[in-house]
């Protein structure tokens, strides 16, 4: 019998519900289907006999408490997962179960075999010999990111409820919307949540542990051109498209996502729309190091300033907006949450794989709100598309780790 009887049934139920967030919406949550799923989760948590189940009004997160069973004061630990899925088809998700995978066969996702999981293309498959894999049918993503996290946290709570001999302090749970569109944690209410330390259960494969993320800014460049007839353009026309290309060419050539890795930051041009008269460009700026991040923003503005001074008028306008910061700066002040997570993984035979995320997590924002929130694995591979999959055994280990973290704080 499965170690956590309801883990996989819950997961399969959750992934079949479309909770794709909507990047074009400004409401919170961004899509009604997210609210509906959060309401369903709330009902489930109430039926589980948990206390203080409520929707936090400002964030739309569902907050829950599992009261502690120790009689000394210990830190209150939080576990957080997001319920939305990435910007990829999430209609009629039809999970496929491959039991006892041999570690080398090509897995057909759809019946025709148009889409496959091939260990030659995805070498990660080789790690899963003898395990049970859950995949898509090739037409959707799976949504293990982050329904795996949701199901794992619920299983950990269920386990603690039925094993009162396992000692733990108060545990706080949060399920929230819109992580995938980068806005979910903006309104996270740290005070209402009431934890001293928290973990997002939103990492990738077995062992992932992250406490460093990028520093991140969005940059919009607006260029004003002067459009006249090309026949009489000499000395008069200012082609806003050309100015945009010149602007881009002035950025360091190497500092692009496709040329960088590990701790190397970048400027990423993700949108470029222009006419001779008017051109707009969208960039994201990323760097793990805060000083280098600030230097990147100065360089970006400096290029615009230089171009404007060459033109003798303001034609290039730059609007910068910081999105989140590297939570490593917060965590490094007190690395206890990372040490406890590492120990928790070792206790259950999982080798911690600690690395800086080339992106952000909900914890990047929440940590800066005063609640240190590293990220631990939920188990999924190839997230955000049709090749996403997760193994049952990795999910079980994630539950084990959540339990060990809870125990770890009760022993302190
Ligand atoms: Zn996620």
């Amino acid at each position: 019998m499965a170690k956590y009887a309801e883990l996989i049934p819950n997961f399969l139920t959750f992934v079949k519900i479309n909770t794709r967030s909507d990047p074009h919406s400004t409401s919170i949550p961004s899509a009604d289907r997210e609210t509906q799923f959060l309401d369903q989760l709330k009902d489930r948590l109430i039926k589980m006999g948990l206390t203080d189940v409520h929707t936090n009004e400002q964030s739309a997160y569902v907050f829950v408490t599992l009261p502690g069973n120790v009689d000394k004061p210990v830190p209150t630990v939080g576990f957080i997962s997001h319920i939305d899925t990435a910007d990829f088809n999430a209609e009629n998700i039809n999970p496929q179960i491959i039991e006892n995978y041999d570690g080398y066969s090509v897995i057909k996702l759809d019946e025709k075999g148009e889409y496959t999981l091939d260990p030659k293309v995805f070498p990660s498959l080789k790690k899963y010999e003898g395990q049970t894999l859950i995949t898509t049918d090739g037409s959707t993503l799976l949504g293990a990111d982050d329904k795996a996290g949701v199901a794992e946290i619920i299983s950990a709570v269920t386990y603690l409820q039925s094993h009162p001999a396992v000692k733990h302090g108060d545990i706080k749970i949060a399920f929230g919307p819109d992580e995938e569109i980068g806005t979910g944690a903006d309104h996270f209410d740290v005070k209402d949540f009431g934890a001293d330390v928290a973990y997002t259960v939103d990492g990738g494969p077995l062992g992932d542990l992250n406490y460093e993320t990028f520093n991140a800014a969005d940059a919009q460049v607006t260029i004003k051109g002067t459009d006249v007839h090309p026949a009489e353009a000499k000395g008069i026309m200012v082609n806003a498209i050309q100015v945009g290309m010149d602007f881009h060419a002035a950025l360091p050539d190497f500092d692009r996502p496709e040329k960088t890795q590990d701790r190397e930051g970048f400027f990423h041009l993700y949108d470029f729309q222009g006419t001779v008269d008017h051109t707009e460009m969208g960039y994201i700026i990323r760097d793990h190091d805060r000083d280098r991040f600030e230097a990147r923003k100065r360089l970006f503005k400096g290029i615009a300033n230089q171009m404007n001074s060459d033109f003798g008028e303001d034609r290039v306008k730059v609007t910068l907006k910081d999105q989140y910061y590297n939570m490593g700066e917060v965590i490094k002040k007190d690395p206890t949450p990372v040490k406890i997570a590492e120990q928790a993984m070792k206790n259950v035979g999982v080798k911690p794989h600690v690395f800086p995320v080339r992106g952000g997590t909900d914890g990047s924002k929440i940590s800066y709100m005063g609640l240190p929130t590293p990220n631990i694995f939920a188990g999924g591979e190839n997230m955000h598309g049709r090749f996403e999959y997760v193994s049952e055994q990795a999910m079980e280990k994630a539950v084990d780790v959540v339990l060990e973290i809870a125990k770890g704080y009760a022993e302190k």
Side-chain angles (χ1 to χ4, degrees), residues 103-120:
Y104 58 85
S105 293
V106 175
I107 299 168
K108 259 197 216 175
L109 295 177
D110 55 313
E111 258 169 40
K112 278 193 219 149
E114 191 180 344
Y115 299 107
T116 60
L117 280 174
D118 182 342
K120 281 199 210 78

Side-chain angles (χ1 to χ4, degrees), residues 82 145-146 179-180 202 383-384:
H82 66 90
D145 177 11
D146 191 22
E179 190 272 350
E180 298 292 0
D202 189 22
M383 288 160 180
H384 295 191

Side-chain angles (χ1 to χ4, degrees), residues 220-242:
Q220 296 299 319
V221 182
T222 313
I223 298 159
K224 194 174 85 188
T226 300
D227 191 2
V228 292
H229 195 289
E232 294 147 13
K234 185 157 187 190
I236 299 167
M237 179 189 280
V238 175
N239 184 340
I241 302 169
Q242 181 62 48

Side-chain angles (χ1 to χ4, degrees), residues 370-390:
L371 177 62
T373 305
N375 184 40
I376 60 172
F377 69 92
E381 299 263 9
N382 301 341
M383 288 160 180
H384 295 191
R386 62 179 99 243
F387 302 106
E388 189 182 8
Y389 70 94
V390 66

